[in-house]
Amino acid sequence: MSSPRVLLGVAGGIAAYKSAELLRRLTESGHSVRVLPTAAALEFVGAATFEALSGQPVHTGVFADVPSVQHVRLGHEAELVVVAPATADLLARATHGRADDLLTASLLTARCPVLFAPAMHTEMWEHPATVANVEVLRSRGVVVMDPASGRLTGKDTGPGRLPEPSEIADLARLLLERRDALPRDLEGKRVVVSAGGTREALDPVRYLGNRSSGRQGYALATVAAQRGAQVTLVAGHTADLHDPAAVDVVRVGSALELRDAMHAAAKGADAIVMAAAVADFRPVSLVGHKIKKGAGDPDPLVLTTNPDILVELVGARPAGQVVVGFAAETGDATGDALHHGRAKLARKGCDLLVVNAVGDGKAFEVPDNGGWLLGADGSEKELAIGSKALLASHVWDAVAGRL
Ligand code: CTP
């Protein structure tokens, strides 16, 4: 397969320094990236950095390499355009179809998916002019990410931070996989996603845990937020993942804490996705001090069963709320993964169940995922192996269709 051709536009804001990391991620995952900085972006990061990391020349204007009519060729050849950071000025120029540099001219000739990752001060992001520009761009099918909240250039904090380069790279890959824009079909909806593994304490220093990285749940939260939903992410233990932009994150430890957080967040939610790997059992009692080795064998571990949170959520759901479960299955003597998935869907009573075939290095702690999406209405869709964001996007397609 040839490398997907990506144009990486970089506008002139302090977050331009993070575009170097995004560029590295894109090239390392096999994309051929041509960087199109604005003249202002080069005030923050030198052209040499972009040329060295991309292995391609860097120009800001249309008068370099005139015989190849760059702005037309680059736009035609691109399979994806990512602009990160997209400043208020860049959003305004793109909205009005300006073509005053190579980046904006290429945006006019490109016919592929376009992803903008904005970064600016909160006042600029919330200004009616920027709000209107974002609305126009989204109405044209451009994916304009909601920025992250947090510390900005000075002492101020608020929405306007560039989303993490890893999150932008994940969405970029998703758009290449989908070959289409992300619809804003979850606008006005409130969704709750659980992610990661629970930890069941034995004593103050030890716990029973599992191998869940939380990546699938984080991808679900990211994609829902960028489709316009208001998202609460209830996160157990995960790999070292950044909070997704524009998502409220609630941290929990044990299955019982996850249960409380899910019941609280589920009230009034339009959809719930249980992607967390919940421990089925917990120690009967928590020892208040560190268990010592002692002389003989340790006491046997006595476990009790945790509540099935998914079944409880299904039982408590108000009319119209869509509930989605996950099932990690291996086949056994009684049937294959799909057979076990169908039985689990009936047992749990949820509207949709994602069945992942696990084992042999599949699904856990890896970036890709696949399986089947089973509906309580009898529908069954095979999900080809792809990014966890792509699987998330299939889940939200199905949820949006049911809302
Ligand atoms: N789940 C839950 N509460 C539990 C266990 C699981 O809410 N105590 C949820 C998971 O988040 C997932 C779904 O139920 O959405 C299926 O989880 P899984 O571990 O595959 O199912 P189990 O019911 O534990 O069945 P088994 O381990 O016997 O396959």
Side-chain angles (χ1 to χ4, degrees), residues 194 255 258 273-281 305-313 324-329 344 347-348 353:
S194 70
L258 180 77
V273 183
M274 275 296 293
V278 185
D280 288 326
F281 310 107
T305 306
N306 273 327
D308 191 315
I309 303 165
L310 179 57
V311 167
E312 287 184 356
L313 291 167
V324 185
F326 268 72
E329 301 289 346
K344 192 166 284 181
R347 208 164 61 236
K348 302 269 183 180
L353 188 79

Side-chain angles (χ1 to χ4, degrees), residues 63-323:
F63 293 109
D65 190 14
V66 171
S68 78
V69 201
Q70 283 197 87
H71 64 289
V72 178
R73 184 176 57 80
L74 292 172
H76 281 175
E77 289 177 359
E79 290 164 84
L80 175 71
V81 184
V82 181
V83 183
T87 56
D89 179 65
L90 195 280
L91 293 173
R93 289 196 290 139
T95 303
H96 291 284
R98 297 284 299 267
D100 37 13
D101 57 16
L102 186 56
L103 171 56
T104 47
S106 301
L107 280 168
L108 289 179
T109 57
R111 291 294 176 271
C112 56
V114 176
L115 172 64
F116 281 2
M120 63 197 75
H121 280 275
T122 305
E123 291 78 5
M124 297 173 93
W125 174 248
E126 290 176 347
H127 192 282
T130 305
V131 171
N133 290 336
V134 168
E135 204 175 300
V136 169
L137 289 167
R138 284 177 174 161
S139 73
R140 292 183 192 145
V142 173
V143 179
V144 183
M145 295 179 75
D146 279 323
S149 286
R151 178 92 190 267
L152 300 170
T153 328
K155 288 203 172 79
D156 43 348
T157 60
R161 268 172 74 94
L162 186 73
E164 286 300 325
S166 57
E167 197 178 353
I168 303 171
D170 286 349
L171 276 187
R173 181 172 170 204
L174 171 62
L175 293 184
L176 282 166
E177 289 176 311
R178 279 180 69 102
R179 303 217 153 269
D180 195 7
L182 273 186
R184 297 282 297 177
D185 52 358
L186 298 176
E187 203 107 47
K189 305 291 180 199
R190 203 169 77 68
V191 307
V192 185
V193 177
S194 70
T198 63
R199 287 181 163 183
E200 310 302 316
L202 290 163
D203 72 13
V205 294
R206 301 184 181 92
Y207 58 83
L208 299 175
N210 60 63
R211 287 173 53 197
S212 172
S213 67
R215 286 202 174 85
Q216 185 59 67
Y218 273 57
L220 281 154
T222 292
V223 173
Q226 300 305 339
R227 285 171 82 146
Q230 188 193 332
V231 186
T232 303
L233 173 63
V234 178
H237 178 74
T238 66
D240 190 14
L241 304 176
H242 290 288
D243 287 357
V247 166
D248 290 325
V249 182
V250 178
R251 302 215 178 269
V252 295
S254 65
L256 294 181
E257 286 172 24
L258 180 77
R259 176 202 206 191
D260 289 346
M262 287 306 291
H263 282 294
K267 287 198 182 75
D270 296 287
I272 298 169
V273 183
M274 275 296 293
V278 185
D280 288 326
F281 310 107
R282 67 177 184 280
V284 167
S285 54
L286 170 64
V287 181
H289 54 84
K290 186 182 172 201
I291 301 166
K292 290 293 192 187
K293 261 202 294 293
D297 287 337
D299 291 337
L301 198 54
V302 184
L303 301 175
T304 183
T305 306
N306 273 327
D308 191 315
I309 303 165
L310 179 57
V311 167
E312 287 184 356
L313 291 167
V314 167
R317 91 181 124 172
Q321 187 180 68
V322 178
V323 182

